Amino acid sequence: EIVLTQSPGTLSLSPGERATLSCRAGQTVSSNYLAWYQQKPGQAPRLLIYGASSRATGIPDRFSGSGSGTDFTLTISRLEPEDFAVYYCQQYGSSPRTFGQGTKVEIK
Amino acid sequence: EVQLVESGGGLVQPGGSLRLSCAASGFTFSSYSMNWVRQAPGKGLEYISHIGPSSNAIYYADSVKGRFTISRDDGKNSLYLQMNSLGDEDTAVYYCARHYTYFDYWGRGTLVTVSS
C-alpha cells in the first residue's frame, strides 16, 4: 500500500496568513489521484480537492492544490477563522486507498 | 441533497458484536460503491471497508478482516457493517462515505466504544 506522509504535523498561523501543507507519497500516485479533506472538531471530513488540483463543489478559491507524482501541496492563500482545522490527504489511485496522518492548522 | 446517516453505535463489551447502519438518500444508492472509515479518539482516518455496486467487490483492511462484514441493501438504500469479536482497538467513530473514486460525501459518524 502507498504510505502518505504529511508535514508539518502542526502549523501555527494567524488569520490572513498563507498556509502550505505537504503530502509526500512513498510511491507514485497513479494519475495524480490525490484528494484533500478538511475536518473540524466533532465533524465529518469534507472533501476540498480531488485530482490533486480540482476544487470540490462549493470550496472557496483560497484553497488550491498542486503537485504530481509523489509530492503534493495544499495551499490556503489567506486563512479565515473557519479554516483552522485538521487536513488529510488521501490517494485513490491504488488499492487500498490510504490517508495521511493529518496536519493540524491552529491559531497562533 | 446527498445525505448519509449512520446509526447503531454504542457501548459494547470486549468480544461483543455490533451492527452499524448507514441510511443513504439524495442519490441513486445502487449505482455507487460505499465505504466505511473509522477514527479512533484523537487519531487519524483509517479506511476499513469498501463494497461495490451489487456487492461485486469487497475490501477489508487487515485490521478488521475476518471480524467485520460489510453489506448493502439497495432496496432500503442502506449500508451495513457487522462487527464481531470487538476489541479495545475498535473504539472509534465510524463514518460511511460515498465512493466516487475519492470519497465525496460523508455521514456524521456513529461512536463505538468497546469497554468492560
Side-chain angles (χ1 to χ4, degrees):
Chain A
E1 71 177 47
I2 295 180
V3 175
L4 299 179
T5 302
Q6 292 186 239
S7 61
T10 302
L11 201 50
S12 298
L13 295 168
S14 300
E17 290 194 294
R18 181 184 189 91
T20 303
L21 289 66
S22 173
C23 176
R24 178 162 291 178
Q27 306 168 43
T28 297
V29 176
S30 176
S31 303
N32 293 330
Y33 281 170
L34 193 287
W36 290 93
Y37 300 86
Q38 176 194 65
Q39 187 179 33
K40 298 179 182 179
Q43 296 186 19
R46 177 176 71 147
L47 176 69
L48 296 177
I49 300 287
Y50 62 92
S53 60
S54 297
R55 273 188 300 276
T57 303
I59 302 303
D61 59 8
R62 64 180 182 272
F63 291 92
S64 63
S66 63
S68 64
T70 60
D71 290 300
F72 299 89
T73 300
L74 175 69
T75 301
I76 310 171
S77 58
R78 287 179 55 86
L79 282 164
E80 297 288 341
E82 62 268 28
D83 299 336
F84 291 91
V86 179
Y87 293 84
Y88 294 94
C89 59
Q90 180 207 29
Q91 68 79 23
Y92 54 97
S94 305
S95 292
R97 276 67 170 142
T98 48
F99 291 94
Q101 82 279 19
T103 290
K104 181 179 182 180
V105 179
E106 65 176 22
I107 299 177
K108 186 174 182 180
Chain B
E1 179 192 5
V2 172
Q3 286 199 326
L4 299 169
V5 180
E6 301 92 340
S7 61
L11 176 64
V12 60
Q13 292 189 337
S17 298
L18 216 52
R19 189 194 195 205
L20 306 184
S21 300
C22 171
S25 61
F27 65 102
T28 304
F29 179 74
S30 60
S31 298
Y32 285 84
S33 298
M34 297 294 296
N35 305 286
W36 287 101
V37 178
R38 70 183 180 183
Q39 186 171 36
K43 302 297 184 182
L45 302 170
E46 181 187 11
Y47 172 47
I48 59 169
S49 191
H50 164 99
I51 188 166
S54 303
S55 307
N56 59 1
I58 288 178
Y59 161 81
Y60 298 104
D62 287 344
S63 57
V64 306
K65 196 175 296 181
R67 301 187 299 122
F68 289 12
T69 301
I70 191 172
S71 62
R72 63 190 297 161
D73 185 336
D74 291 344
K76 294 183 177 180
N77 290 341
S78 292
L79 174 72
Y80 305 102
L81 188 67
Q82 176 66 43
M83 305 187 296
N84 299 330
S85 303
L86 286 163
D88 295 345
E89 69 277 11
D90 298 314
T91 292
V93 175
Y94 286 73
Y95 297 101
C96 66
R98 192 176 79 165
H99 187 101
Y100 192 74
T101 61
Y102 43 86
F103 299 175
D104 60 349
Y105 289 94
W106 298 62
R108 289 178 171 266
T110 187
L111 175 63
V112 172
T113 303
V114 183
S115 176
S116 54

